[in-house]
Amino acid sequence: MKYGYFDDSKREYVITDPKTPYPWINYLGNHDFYSLISNTAGGYSFFKDAKLRRITRYRYNNIPVDDGGKYFYIKDENTVWSPGWKPVRTPLDKYECRHGLGYTKITGAKDGLEAQITYTVPLGFWGEVQKVILKNTSEKLKKIQLFSFVEWCLWNAQDDQTNFQRNFNTGEVEIDGNVIFHKTEYRERRNHYAFYSVNAEIAGFDTDKESFLGLYNGFDTPDAVLAGKATNSEAHGWSPIASHCLEVTLKPGDEKEYVFILGYVENKEEEKFVAPKVINKSRTNAMIRKFPDGKSVDLALAELQDYWSKLLSVYRLHSDDEKLNRMVNIWNPYQCMITYNFSRSASFFESGIGRGMGFRDSNQDLIGFVHMAPDRAKERIIDIASTQFEDGGAYHQYQPLTKRGNHEIGGNFNDDPLWLILSVSEYIKETGDWAILDVEVPFDNNEQNSASLFEHLKRSFYHVVSNKGAHHLPLIGRADWNDCLNLNCFSTNPDESFQTTENKEGGKAESVFIAGMFVLYGREFVKICRHKGLQEEAGLALQEIESMELAVIAHGWDGEWYLRAYDHFGRKVGTHENKGAQIFIEAQGFCSMAEIGLKKATRKKH
């Protein structure tokens, strides 16, 4: 079944059926403020960190799937519908979702009324802008009610979903004309708040979820919408929301535009209030003034499109294959920039709660976008290296808000350090910026304990040298690239995660995959040493690489392919001797790219 198509001229993917096999989402934002939005307007927003600065609430494993988002409801006489089909799910006369580069346009039509919502995060803007266009395509006068809706998250996404005895008492809002503020804990200990505004007079509002929805209703049947009238509720604790109600009159052929802004504001501690208990709204007002009408939003969209055109113009492929051109010139680089912004920290599968930015992931992501944004690549390299330990190991993840290592996950994933050599070498190849090697970078974000980036690379290299097993192959630690290959982790407690279970004391498992990495990226380290004139350093490193090659040939070759590993008890993993799981792709790929044993014809050359 076909659900949509690519529009290459507009660089958009067009979805024509809202009932996709799973929500098809887009990622909005380019720096600091981010939103995820599905083809039916589900999703959430956050500032820098999906765990620590979650702005709107989202519930995973919902029934039905993807419930909760940035919704608009239309009440047209006795009919209630949503332009994105959800949450109301009233059958539409027309539906279309266009996922573009940094924006999404959703269009719906019902009974002679067409509604289009454009969602985008403008460049350098700490907020999501939503442009709503309503058009009367019928031959009769229409008097409708338009309701907006977002549900506030109480900032820390994990605490928001667990600490109910406290959170049901802390939610705080303020209504100032057509602007609804979410200021939970702003008086007490936060320097930030959020707001949701519209550039029109409102007929009413709601900020209390139960008043808007009804205690036993879902997002599909809100009491206020069904009644065609907001309740003007003011939340005190419980679950604060933001909903505007607009009375709209459209003559046949008439069209009206509205601009909604979901924004985030930070104030310095000494600037939080302009008077006792009166919050400082100067930044809010400036943000609202920036987008007074639809034309200003269109200009921001044009600026955003220019931004992407410049990024995508760095590298262009011209071939006779339309699909290849589309992938290489539009969607693959777009995806690479998205993974730079989000790493694996937030999606519809990663909640943004249990992890931050991956050390391994972020180094890998970097090589896909370094040619488009070298300055941001350099910044990311320094951030990553700053979470490294003195012994060359590293935190497996770090929080993007604080840029500090995630203690809950910890480290000891022994492939992690080598990925830093990869990202730095690729950055230098792309930019020629050898000076980055001399930048002083802290260990574990301790500015009192720092070394040059080159020294960080050296410690990454020798972390492997210092952690070998009985077969002279690298110790795997808690796992390598295959996070589920926990060959040292033994748990008898069903309530703990294998990924966060510490190694069995004296963990002996070895990784052939890391050995392949070491040889492949170790050679890049040697090139860096030679360029710096460190010939002796290069020679010593080369000896370690040759020693690792010999260990792989002696203990990592299974006759026709490479082993994957040795487990804690010295048993082979990924061998023809096994009944199942005889071959693993990671070791084949990296040992082949490293050309281990090529001279002895261990690997077939294709």
Side-chain angles (χ1 to χ4, degrees), residues 336-372:
C336 286
M337 282 303 299
I338 296 303
T339 53
Y340 163 77
N341 289 329
F342 288 78
S343 187
R344 312 297 181 272
S345 67
S347 68
F348 272 30
F349 297 96
E350 282 286 357
S351 67
I353 295 174
R355 59 173 296 158
M357 308 285 273
F359 188 98
R360 172 200 303 142
D361 302 332
S362 296
N363 278 298
Q364 292 172 345
D365 296 338
L366 190 142
I367 67 174
F369 76 86
V370 60
H371 62 289
M372 294 187 284

Side-chain angles (χ1 to χ4, degrees), residues 197-367:
S197 67
V198 61
N199 66 335
E201 184 178 345
I202 61 176
F205 61 86
D206 274 292
T207 64
D208 176 71
K209 184 178 67 176
E210 290 180 10
S211 300
F212 178 76
L213 292 179
L215 182 58
Y216 295 103
N217 295 354
F219 295 117
D220 56 337
T221 54
D223 278 350
V225 177
L226 296 178
K229 185 178 181 180
T231 72
N232 294 341
S233 60
E234 294 191 33
H236 299 280
W238 295 100
S239 296
I241 65 164
S243 174
H244 308 89
C245 174
L246 282 70
E247 299 278 359
V248 183
T249 299
L250 293 166
K251 295 177 182 179
D254 271 2
E255 181 176 294
K256 290 188 177 180
E257 288 185 347
Y258 301 96
V259 177
F260 293 80
I261 299 175
L262 175 66
Y264 172 89
V265 170
E266 280 187 2
N267 287 319
K268 295 179 180 179
E269 191 66 29
E270 64 273 17
E271 298 175 356
K272 286 177 62 175
F273 301 95
V274 294
K277 299 183 180 180
V278 180
I279 68 174
N280 186 340
K281 301 174 183 175
S282 60
R283 286 184 173 84
T284 300
N285 296 332
M287 291 174 72
I288 293 173
R289 286 195 300 270
K290 193 167 185 177
F291 297 102
D293 50 33
K295 289 183 180 179
S296 58
V297 179
D298 293 340
L299 288 173
L301 278 170
E303 185 182 8
L304 184 64
Q305 289 173 332
D306 287 344
Y307 166 80
W308 279 107
S309 293
K310 289 175 182 176
L311 288 180
L312 300 183
S313 68
V314 174
Y315 180 91
R316 300 290 294 174
L317 172 71
H318 299 281
S319 77
D320 296 329
D321 190 326
E322 179 186 64
K323 294 179 180 179
L324 182 62
N325 290 339
R326 176 187 301 141
M327 180 182 73
V328 174
N329 295 333
I330 303 173
W331 297 107
N332 191 59
Y334 180 61
Q335 180 67 34
C336 286
M337 282 303 299
I338 296 303
T339 53
Y340 163 77
N341 289 329
F342 288 78
S343 187
R344 312 297 181 272
S345 67
S347 68
F348 272 30
F349 297 96
E350 282 286 357
S351 67
I353 295 174
R355 59 173 296 158
M357 308 285 273
F359 188 98
R360 172 200 303 142
D361 302 332
S362 296
N363 278 298
Q364 292 172 345
D365 296 338
L366 190 142
I367 67 174

Side-chain angles (χ1 to χ4, degrees), residues 38 71 152 342 368 377 463 472 521 542 604-605:
S38 74
Y71 291 140
W152 302 117
F342 288 78
H463 184 269
H472 306 290
Y521 299 144
L542 196 56
K604 294 180 180 179
K605 189 172 184 179

